[in-house]
Amino acid sequence: MQNIEHIISLLRQFGAPGLFGLALIDSAGVPTGGAPDWMLVLLLSEHSTLPDLIATVPIVVLGSSTGCMVPYYLGRRGGELVLRRFDADRCRAMRVRIDRYGFWSMVFSVMVPPPYPMKLVMVSAGVFRMPVKTFFGAVVLGRSIRYSVVGYVALRYGEQAIEVLGQHLYLVVGGFVGLIACLFILNRVWRRLR
C-alpha cells in the first residue's frame, strides 16, 4: 500500500507535463493500461474545480492525439505489410468500417476506454489512407469527449472516481455509443439537407 501511495505522489508531482507525456506514450503504442485516464483522475480528484478541468483536459487530449499519429504514420508508410501481424478477418472488418463510417468510426474507437484494441484501428486508418485531417480531427473529438467525462467524474467523486468508473463501465460505454450514434445521425441529416 505504501508503494502505491508513493507512485500516486510521484504522478501528482509531474502534473500536467507528466500527463501530456503519459498520454503521448500511451497513444503511440506503448501499453499503459489506461494510465492517462487514471492520472487525470488523480490530478483532478483533490480540491479541483471546473477551471482545473477546463485547463487539464486539453493537455491530455493534445498528448494523446499527437501520440496517435505514430501508429497512423506507421500504417501509412508500411501499408498492408504492417497489418500482417493482425488477424486477417479483423483487418477486413476494419477496412469496411473505415470505408463506410470513416470519421465516426474513428471517433467511437478513441472514445472507448481500455481494453479496446486501439493499435489495429490507428494502423488501419493509415494503411487505408484515411485523410490526415479527418483522422486527427476524429481523434481530437473522441479523446475530448472521453477525457472530459473522466475528468468530470473525478471532480464529482474525487478519488472514488476510479471505483465509480469501474462499477459503471458498461453505462459509460453505452453512453459513449449513444452519443456517437446521435452525432452520426445528426451528421447524416445535415449532409442531406445541404
Side-chain angles (χ1 to χ4, degrees), residues 25-39:
I25 290 167
D26 178 69
S27 294
V30 177
T32 65
D37 297 271
W38 306 129
M39 187 169 175

Side-chain angles (χ1 to χ4, degrees), residues 113-126:
Y116 189 78
M118 290 297 303
K119 287 180 191 167
L120 175 60
V121 174
M122 303 292 167
V123 169
S124 295

Side-chain angles (χ1 to χ4, degrees), residues 105-136:
S105 69
M106 198 55 54
V107 171
F108 172 76
S109 297
V110 298
M111 270 180 37
V112 179
Y116 189 78
M118 290 297 303
K119 287 180 191 167
L120 175 60
V121 174
M122 303 292 167
V123 169
S124 295
V127 170
F128 303 132
R129 302 289 184 196
M130 177 180 274
V132 176
K133 288 180 184 178
T134 302
F135 175 79
F136 193 74

Side-chain angles (χ1 to χ4, degrees), residues 2-48:
Q2 194 174 20
N3 287 337
I4 292 172
E5 289 174 10
H6 178 70
I7 291 169
I8 289 170
S9 172
L10 188 63
L11 286 173
R12 283 192 174 125
Q13 288 175 5
F14 285 117
L19 181 59
F20 175 88
L22 189 58
L24 189 140
I25 290 167
D26 178 69
S27 294
V30 177
T32 65
D37 297 271
W38 306 129
M39 187 169 175
L40 181 62
V41 168
L42 289 173
L43 288 176
L44 293 175
S45 63
E46 270 189 18
H47 315 296
S48 292

Side-chain angles (χ1 to χ4, degrees), residues 169-191:
L169 184 61
Y170 291 111
L171 183 62
V172 171
V173 171
F176 283 150
V177 170
L179 180 63
I180 288 300
C182 288
L183 291 172
F184 178 74
I185 291 167
L186 287 172
N187 183 48
R188 289 278 189 190
V189 169
W190 183 72
R191 281 186 176 186

Side-chain angles (χ1 to χ4, degrees), residues 28-106:
V30 177
T32 65
D37 297 271
W38 306 129
M39 187 169 175
L40 181 62
V41 168
L42 289 173
L43 288 176
L44 293 175
S45 63
E46 270 189 18
H47 315 296
S48 292
T49 61
L50 187 58
D52 295 324
L53 174 71
I54 292 168
T56 307
V57 167
I59 293 166
V60 69
V61 169
L62 182 61
S64 183
S65 300
T66 303
C68 287
M69 297 309 291
V70 173
Y72 172 83
Y73 277 114
L74 285 174
R76 203 151 171 115
R77 290 290 231 165
E80 301 273 343
L81 185 66
V82 178
L83 292 179
R84 286 192 183 157
R85 58 181 288 230
F86 298 102
D87 178 61
D89 291 335
R90 287 179 63 203
C91 292
R92 278 190 290 279
M94 188 60 60
R95 175 158 207 158
V96 168
R97 217 168 96 196
I98 288 173
D99 288 345
R100 188 167 183 191
Y101 301 111
F103 179 85
W104 296 107
S105 69
M106 198 55 54

